[in-house]
Amino acid sequence: MSDLDHVFSANGPLAETIPGYRSRVQQQEMAKAIAEAISHNRQLVAEAGTGTGKTFAYLVPALLSGGKVIISTGTKTLQDQLFNRDLPAVRDALKVPVTVAMLKGRANYVCHFHLQRAMSEGKFYSREDAAYVHKIQAFAENSATGDKSELTSVPESATVWPAVTSTRDNCMGQECAFYKECFVMEARKRALAADVVVVNHHLFFADVMLRDEGVAELLPAANTVIFDEAHQLPEVAGMFFGEGYSTSQLMELARDAHNEYLTTIKDCTALPDATAALEKAVRDFRLIFAYEGARLPVQKALALRNFEPAYAMMQEKLADLANVLESQAERDPAVDNCWQRTLALQALLQRWIVAADTNLVRWIEVFSQSVQLHATPLSVAEGFSKQLNAQPRSWIFTSATLAVKSDFSHYLAQMGLSEATTGYWNSPFDYGQQGLFYVPQGMPEPNSAGYAAAVAAMALPVIRASRGRAFVLCTSLRAMRELHALLKDAFASEGLEYPLLMQGDTARSELLERFRRLGNAVLVGSQSFWEGVDVRGEALSAVIIDKLPFAPPDDPVLAARIDKMNAEGKNAFMEYQLPYAVITLKQGAGRLIRDEADRGVLMICDPRLISKPYGRRIWQSLPPMRRTRNVEDVVEFFASFPVDAA
């Protein structure tokens, strides 16, 4: 441990080689706890407040451990940052001969087979896609990795990407003519050979649960698994511990089978009729649902007119396609692949409708072009604990938001971490000096009709005092749109010229860049901006939150979990709903103070913080800022550090 003291000291290797590095007691203590867990193959759950430097706190002991390490991050953006910036910096500072690799899901790598097919068919959604595919071809010929994030001239949202990448369904594996040059296989080989591998949570659980050849192959050799942004794990794990499918998988299958008819088995005249019939059945099923964005429990879905006959029709047309493909499967590996997919999807559709597993909650999510049918476990604890105990290794879970008032019991129970030790390190920031926490007086109840108008009215004087430079974070897309419209009208009537931005206007990264560049903007956002967003300096000086982020009570999975907990004699509100809201609120509040020089006001409009007995537990979990209920204190706070008007 004395080595760690030196590494993190003011004259140690990190300070000598990394610009802006500062020694922090919390970081050293956290690194020691992680090193201890690694050396004894233990589970550690660690909350580290903003500014602790948790990334270096786990990277240093991981790189010095000498074992194989898997690091899983919350997003691909963080994955890229860790692999391209933080890992090389720490490795160079420590001068350790550690090899590192990054592994993403297969949809992130160009597929030679599908690229060649797209080029030869020449069928694209737009002229842009036709131009993009030539750029992608040139990239594939010269790239060492095939990782599409390296090809910045083709937007990540371009509709051409699904045509030139593979999915778990349509990858032909060793049957593929391009198997030896496959970018996915190369990435997996590099990952198997490396000492440290960076993945993301979705890939980790998708691969481990569905037994693909990526992380599932890496795990047996791993001595340590580290989850950063570990607060996201219960939701991500739930997606993969359950089962489900999307109607888009059926449409993709029909399209791929039709492509085989056009290119390989033109004499199979029954095939185009079978694919067209399946596509029609899927479209008819989507039309049963009135609007996108709906999340329906299975009981409501089954009660919809025509649900059962339309579902049965999808099954029937899928079976018809399976029969046609079976008769042709031996003619070509790609045709055989389509047939195998029909069989797998037939089994999925049957399991979902029969619902033999009572531990899975069935529900439906409606999108503009597709329907997602889910079967989500009531708890991931049992499934995940099997992974934890499969063989001796250390598991590290870290985030800025895992505890409620330094109590980890909610998170430990969710993840089945009965053997874990916990560590809690406060932020080194001086919140008493740097921040002010404001809860306005006179707010109506959050479910009242005029609530959004009251939020806008209370927010205006704060926005004036902060001279724009604010995030307005909403708990729903509907509230976001309503608040944006109200603020737009108010800005116009009061002559306020602060730029007003809204989530969805453009890509999140572009919106953030614009917000930083403008310097006096107001950004109204929903879920995308509650976490993973880092705006340092004066451009963000106020965070305004419309209401406490309780999960919507009509959420099908939440409703089933509440019923189960209450039936077991537990208090679902205190043990599940409240901790969820606290952890989410801590994420939103964490956008405000990002370094030692930041100052700002956190405004939470919800009167339940004061009026309800549980309110105290919530605000005691937030950063220890000076509290006020008077807007005059907000005005005075901003006046105490005047800035140039942007």
Side-chain angles (χ1 to χ4, degrees):
M1 293 300 173
S2 58
D3 282 355
L4 289 179
D5 286 333
H6 171 62
V7 169
F8 287 101
S9 68
N11 57 357
L14 296 179
E16 283 177 3
T17 58
I18 297 172
Y21 174 81
R22 282 182 298 280
S23 179
R24 303 175 183 93
V25 173
Q26 295 93 330
Q27 189 180 51
Q28 288 185 42
E29 290 177 355
M30 183 180 175
K32 288 179 181 177
I34 290 171
E36 183 80 9
I38 290 174
S39 65
H40 293 96
N41 286 333
R42 289 181 187 150
Q43 302 164 14
L44 172 67
V45 177
E47 176 168 317
T50 309
T52 304
K54 64 182 168 65
T55 305
F56 285 8
Y58 66 70
L59 281 181
V60 168
L63 294 188
L64 292 176
S65 69
K68 177 127 185 164
V69 181
I70 298 173
I71 303 173
S72 183
T73 68
T75 63
K76 286 182 287 187
T77 305
L78 282 172
Q79 199 181 350
D80 287 332
Q81 178 182 307
L82 194 62
F83 180 74
N84 294 316
R85 191 186 75 188
D86 298 332
L87 252 172
V90 173
R91 182 178 61 179
D92 292 349
L94 298 177
K95 295 183 171 61
V96 285
V98 170
T99 55
V100 299
M102 178 161 59
L103 188 61
K104 297 180 180 178
R106 64 170 71 248
N108 293 278
Y109 302 96
V110 177
C111 169
H112 294 291
F113 175 81
H114 288 97
L115 173 60
Q116 187 192 59
R117 172 164 282 189
M119 292 289 293
S120 62
E121 288 173 6
K123 293 179 181 175
F124 301 105
Y125 287 109
S126 64
R127 285 183 183 174
E128 286 88 352
D129 282 359
Y132 289 151
V133 81
H134 290 288
K135 290 185 177 181
I136 294 169
Q137 185 183 36
F139 170 71
E141 287 170 359
N142 296 292
S143 172
T145 66
D147 184 342
K148 68 180 190 183
S149 69
E150 295 172 10
L151 183 58
T152 53
S153 59
V154 178
E156 197 173 339
S157 57
T159 49
V160 73
W161 282 119
V164 298
T165 53
S166 70
T167 64
R168 191 186 306 273
D169 289 339
N170 67 21
C171 171
M172 291 187 295
Q174 295 183 22
E175 297 290 330
C176 181
F178 297 93
Y179 183 73
K180 288 184 178 174
E181 26 197 309
C182 174
F183 288 125
V184 174
M185 289 301 117
E186 283 304 309
R188 288 177 172 177
K189 282 180 198 167
R190 284 193 295 271
L192 280 169
D195 301 310
V196 179
V197 187
V198 184
V199 300
N200 58 65
H201 300 339
H202 280 80
L203 175 66
F204 183 91
F205 285 103
D207 265 20
V208 170
M209 295 308 116
L210 301 175
R211 289 289 177 267
D212 206 351
E213 301 79 40
V215 178
E217 266 193 335
L218 290 172
L219 258 183
N223 306 96
T224 299
V225 179
I226 300 172
F227 292 106
D228 199 347
E229 303 296 330
H231 62 279
Q232 298 175 2
L233 292 183
E235 186 174 347
V236 176
M239 291 166 58
F240 295 106
F241 279 56
E243 235 186 16
Y245 67 94
S246 168
T247 57
S248 62
Q249 287 173 267
L250 297 169
M251 295 296 271
E252 285 164 12
L253 169 64
R255 188 182 65 234
D256 290 348
H258 189 72
N259 282 339
E260 292 312 314
Y261 163 71
L262 294 174
T263 57
T264 313
I265 47 175
K266 293 179 182 175
D267 56 343
C268 181
T269 53
L271 189 53
D273 290 341
T275 57
L278 177 59
E279 287 181 344
K280 183 180 185 304
V282 172
R283 280 195 294 268
D284 289 346
F285 181 69
R286 167 62 187 87
L287 290 173
I288 290 167
F289 305 93
Y291 57 93
E292 63 181 289
R295 290 162 66 98
L296 304 173
V298 68
Q299 297 83 355
K300 276 192 179 178
L302 291 171
L304 289 172
R305 188 178 169 198
N306 292 330
F307 180 94
E308 291 189 27
Y311 195 93
M313 185 60 72
M314 282 199 304
Q315 289 182 293
E316 181 186 319
K317 297 308 175 188
L318 185 61
D320 290 347
L321 178 60
N323 290 334
V324 175
L325 288 169
E326 183 180 13
S327 69
Q328 307 294 317
E330 291 183 1
R331 295 176 63 179
D332 188 271
V335 180
D336 183 64
N337 172 264
C338 287
W339 177 49
Q340 297 298 336
R341 285 160 64 188
T342 60
L343 299 180
L345 282 165
Q346 277 183 289
L348 261 179
L349 265 71
Q350 183 63 14
R351 279 200 301 274
W352 193 91
I353 201 71
V354 168
D357 189 340
T358 54
N359 277 323
L360 296 177
V361 180
R362 288 183 298 156
W363 57 287
I364 284 174
E365 200 167 7
V366 184
F367 299 94
S368 58
Q369 302 291 324
S370 64
V371 181
Q372 190 102 30
L373 296 99
H374 301 272
T376 305
L378 284 166
S379 167
V380 301
E382 186 181 343
F384 190 61
S385 62
K386 287 177 185 172
Q387 291 297 323
L388 292 170
N389 301 316
Q391 67 185 77
R393 68 169 62 91
S394 57
W395 297 82
I396 313 296
F397 303 79
T398 181
S399 169
T401 54
L402 292 172
V404 178
K405 263 188 71 184
S406 70
D407 175 7
F408 290 90
S409 56
H410 169 69
Y411 188 80
L412 297 177
Q414 271 189 302
M415 296 301 293
L417 297 167
S418 55
E419 305 294 316
T421 55
T422 61
Y424 183 85
W425 288 275
N426 282 318
S427 167
F429 298 158
D430 185 354
Y431 284 108
Q433 290 297 314
Q434 291 179 251
L436 181 68
F437 178 23
Y438 169 49
V439 181
Q441 300 181 62
M443 284 293 295
E445 285 301 304
N447 58 357
S448 60
Y451 188 75
V455 171
M458 293 292 187
L460 268 177
V462 175
I463 291 169
R464 271 198 301 266
S466 66
R467 300 174 192 168
R469 306 182 301 149
F471 273 6
V472 180
L473 299 179
C474 304
T475 50
S476 70
L477 291 170
R478 183 179 166 188
M480 176 190 81
R481 287 189 280 265
E482 193 175 352
L483 263 173
H484 178 266
L486 287 162
L487 288 173
K488 189 176 180 182
D489 290 345
F491 281 18
S493 64
E494 298 201 15
L496 298 176
E497 296 185 352
Y498 308 122
L500 187 61
L501 313 176
M502 184 170 71
Q503 175 186 323
D505 287 347
T506 182
R508 186 176 86 151
S509 55
E510 290 177 40
L511 210 54
L512 271 175
E513 188 48 47
R514 201 170 154 214
F515 180 86
R516 290 189 186 100
R517 191 174 66 247
L518 287 165
N520 68 337
V522 176
L523 191 155
V524 187
S526 185
Q527 191 174 5
S528 292
F529 287 87
W530 282 71
E531 62 176 279
V533 174
D534 189 13
V535 180
R536 300 178 186 222
E538 293 171 352
L540 180 57
S541 297
V543 169
I544 300 165
I545 294 174
D546 69 336
K547 63 175 75 169
L548 298 176
F550 288 107
D554 59 350
D555 179 274
V557 182
L558 176 67
R561 284 179 179 149
I562 289 170
D563 290 346
K564 182 173 185 284
M565 291 182 78
N566 289 337
E568 292 169 351
K570 297 175 180 174
N571 184 330
F573 179 79
M574 294 302 290
E575 293 180 45
Y576 189 85
Q577 291 165 277
L578 185 62
Y580 172 91
V582 170
I583 288 169
T584 308
L585 189 66
K586 284 169 70 173
Q587 279 291 334
R591 298 315 99 212
L592 183 64
I593 306 295
R594 304 301 299 173
D595 66 27
E596 286 90 343
D598 275 1
R599 296 185 70 178
V601 168
L602 171 65
M603 175 183 181
I604 301 177
C605 300
D606 198 321
R608 291 174 293 183
L609 266 174
I610 308 299
S611 64
K612 299 292 184 187
Y614 58 76
R616 181 182 181 87
R617 195 168 173 204
I618 294 175
W619 56 252
Q620 284 183 336
S621 297
L622 294 172
M625 300 177 183
R626 184 162 59 92
R627 299 191 299 276
T628 186
R629 304 212 63 198
N630 299 312
V631 73
E632 293 82 9
D633 291 334
V634 174
V635 175
E636 189 179 311
F637 178 87
F638 281 117
S640 70
F641 62 106
V643 295
D644 294 333

